[in-house]
Each structure stands twice: as structure tokens, then as C-alpha cells.
């Protein structure tokens, strides 16, 4: 009986030890899981803080230091009424009467400084101009491109397509850059007085034709002695009235 009792007691102790060991293993796993779960938010928070601090300079507003391109053409502290059109914005009134003087309300653009006639700085002002489109201005109010590809000595007189730009301080309606058909009026540097003098003095040797760049006619006059004087006399008349000009088609100076 005593032996059986001891066996049962040993079995009970072994069972209790086994239960305690399993319980300790389970508690260790739970603790590690809790530590992992608690450490994850902290690491995530640390990452978010790190990323925020790292990217903070990129969200900083960058102050613009660029200078508007129109400022280079805008005089400082000049009369507002004399400012170029690129330096102001005006309320255009297209219902004005053509050819009549009209008043327009204008305002200077940012960073532009101008004064009135009393040397007082102002932003809002009025300008007076003739009611007409830019392409209707006088020829002295705009500048056009020249062409050297058309003949000026021709009948009828030739024209060419030019691009014209209105001068500063001239105000008008519509586009300030416009196309226009102009007469060929370029010059190659030939003087009418020089050509006439050569035709009178040395025309019998073709000097006038050589000067104008007409080599074939010059050689013809040279070897024919000015057409026995008849060709020389005719050239004096033609150059005198301006009918015979430079071979490149340009005008006399």
C-alpha cells in the first residue's frame, strides 16, 4: 500500500511539473507577442517623425525673385503718360469714334513706378490717343523690315510683305505688330550724282554702266565707242531722269 501511494505521489508531482513548464512556455510567447505589438507603433511613429523631419524643407515656400521681362523697357520714375504700352494695362474702348481723340483709363503693371506732371507717384492715370488701329498709323509711327529681294526699278513698281512694329510711346488699338505691303525702297549705296557725272564725262567708255553694275552694257559701249556717241547721249538722258538705275534693282542715294 505504501508503495502504491508513493507511485501516485510521484505521478502527481510529475504532472504538476509538466503543467507548470507548459504554462511558463505559453506565458513567454504571449509576452514576446505583446512586446512586438507594442514596438511596432513606436517604430512606425519614429519612421513617420523621421520622414516628416526629413521632408520638411521641401514644403517650405520658395520666394520668387524673378524680374518680369517688361521691366527692362519701363523707365523708373518717368511720366506715366509716357510709359511704353507694355508697362501698363488699359481699358480699351473700341466704340470710340474713328479719328477722334479718346481717353482711356490705365494702370501701371506691378513693380513699375511712374509720376504725374507734379512729380507725384501714381498708379491709375488716363491717356489720350487718336481712335485708330495700329496699322492705320502714319508711317513715321512704326518701323518695318526691309527687303532686298524685290526690284525698285520696275513697272509697275513692286511691293513686298513687311512686318511692322509700332514705336514706343505711340498708343493705338489692336496688335502692335502687324504685316503690311510696302513698296520696294532699299538702296545698295549707288549715288545718282556719281552715275550722271560718269555718264557725261566717261560715258563713251561705258564707265556709267560699269559703275551701276551693268557689265554687258558697259562692254558694249566700250567696244562701240559709246555707240558712236548716240548711246552715250541716250544714257545721259535715261540716267538723268532716273530710268536707268543700279543693276541690283535698288534706289539711288
Amino acid at each position: 500500500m505504501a508503495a502504491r501511494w508513493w507511485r501516485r505521489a510521484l505521478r502527481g508531482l510529475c504532472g504538476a511539473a509538466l503543467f507548470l513548464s507548459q504554462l511558463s512556455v505559453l506565458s513567454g510567447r504571449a509576452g514576446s507577442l505583446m512586446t512586438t505589438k507594442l514596438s511596432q507603433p513606436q517604430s512606425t511613429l519614429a519612421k513617420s517623425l523621421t520622414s516628416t523631419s526629413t521632408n520638411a524643407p521641401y514644403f517650405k515656400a520658395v520666394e520668387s525673385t524673378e524680374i518680369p521681362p517688361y521691366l527692362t523697357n519701363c523707365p523708373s520714375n518717368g511720366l506715366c503718360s509716357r510709359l511704353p504700352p507694355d508697362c501698363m494695362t488699359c481699358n480699351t474702348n473700341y466704340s470710340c469714334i474713328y479719328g477722334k481723340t479718346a481717353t482711356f483709363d490705365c494702370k501701371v503693371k506691378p513693380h513699375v513706378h511712374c509720376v504725374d506732371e507734379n512729380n507725384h507717384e501714381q498708379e491709375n492715370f488716363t491717356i489720350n490717343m487718336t481712335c485708330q488701329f495700329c496699322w492705320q498709323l502714319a508711317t513715321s509711327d512704326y518701323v518695318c523690315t526691309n527687303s532686298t529681294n524685290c526690284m525698285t526699278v520696275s513697272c509697275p513698281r513692286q511691293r513686298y510683305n513687311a512686318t511692322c512694329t509700332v514705336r514706343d510711346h505711340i498708343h493705338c488699338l489692336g496688335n502692335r505688330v502687324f504685316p503690311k505691303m510696302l513698296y520696294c525702297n532699299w538702296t545698295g549705296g549707288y549715288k545718282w550724282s556719281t552715275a550722271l557725272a560718269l555718264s557725261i564725262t566717261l560715258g563713251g567708255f561705258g564707265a556709267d554702266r560699269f559703275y551701276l553694275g551693268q557689265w554687258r552694257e558697259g562692254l558694249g559701249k566700250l567696244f562701240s565707242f559709246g555707240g558712236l556717241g548716240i548711246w552715250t547721249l541716250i544714257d545721259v538722258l535715261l540716267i538723268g531722269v532716273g530710268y536707268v538705275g543700279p543693276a541690283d534693282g535698288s534706289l539711288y542715294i
Side-chain angles (χ1 to χ4, degrees):
M1 293 294 292
R4 290 181 179 179
W5 183 83
W6 282 109
R7 290 177 181 175
R8 291 179 181 178
L10 288 174
R11 290 178 180 176
L13 291 174
C14 291
L18 181 61
F19 175 75
L20 291 174
S21 63
Q22 292 178 354
L23 182 62
S24 63
V25 172
L26 292 175
S27 63
R29 291 181 178 178
S32 63
L33 291 174
M34 290 297 292
T35 304
T36 304
K37 291 182 178 179
L38 290 174
S39 62
Q40 285 180 353
Q42 293 179 356
S43 61
T44 306
L45 179 61
K47 289 181 180 179
S48 63
L49 291 175
T50 304
S51 62
T52 303
S53 61
T54 303
N55 298 332
Y58 295 97
F59 291 99
K60 185 178 180 180
V62 179
E63 296 182 357
S64 177
T65 58
E66 295 183 358
I67 300 176
Y70 58 81
L71 282 182
T72 57
N73 299 325
C74 301
S76 180
N77 296 326
L79 288 176
C80 295
S81 58
R82 297 290 295 174
L83 283 175
D86 294 337
C87 305
M88 67 179 76
T89 55
C90 299
N91 296 326
T92 306
N93 181 15
Y94 288 96
S95 61
C96 58
I97 301 176
Y98 173 74
K100 301 294 183 179
T101 302
T103 302
F104 298 88
D105 296 326
C106 301
K107 181 180 180 180
V108 295
K109 291 184 177 180
H111 308 291
V112 177
H113 303 280
C114 63
V115 296
D116 58 6
E117 296 178 354
N118 297 324
N119 203 23
H120 295 155
E121 187 172 356
Q122 61 179 356
E123 294 183 359
N124 300 316
F125 56 95
T126 59
I127 59 172
N128 297 324
M129 69 177 184
T130 305
C131 180
Q132 60 183 351
F133 287 96
C134 295
W135 59 271
Q136 296 173 322
L137 292 172
T139 55
S140 59
D141 293 335
Y142 54 83
V143 180
C144 300
T145 57
N146 293 325
S147 174
T148 59
N149 297 324
C150 57
M151 301 290 291
T152 57
V153 182
S154 62
C155 186
R157 192 175 177 185
Q158 293 184 1
R159 294 173 180 260
Y160 70 97
N161 293 319
T163 301
C164 303
T165 304
V166 180
R167 298 181 183 272
D168 291 341
H169 315 307
I170 301 297
H171 299 277
C172 55
L173 302 177
N175 296 326
R176 299 184 61 83
V177 179
F178 52 90
K180 198 165 189 177
M181 293 288 294
L182 299 178
Y183 284 110
C184 300
N185 59 354
W186 66 285
T187 179
Y190 297 95
K191 293 184 178 180
W192 173 80
S193 59
T194 302
L196 183 60
L198 290 175
S199 181
I200 295 174
T201 57
L202 301 174
F205 301 98
D208 50 355
R209 293 284 183 165
F210 286 126
Y211 172 73
L212 296 176
Q214 301 175 7
W215 298 97
R216 295 178 180 178
E217 292 81 354
L219 291 174
K221 291 182 69 175
L222 177 63
F223 290 108
S224 64
F225 299 101
L228 299 178
I230 299 176
W231 194 350
T232 302
L233 181 61
I234 294 175
D235 273 357
V236 171
L237 296 176
L238 295 179
I239 294 176
V241 298
Y243 184 80
V244 174
D248 59 3
S250 62
L251 295 175
Y252 289 114
I253 297 178

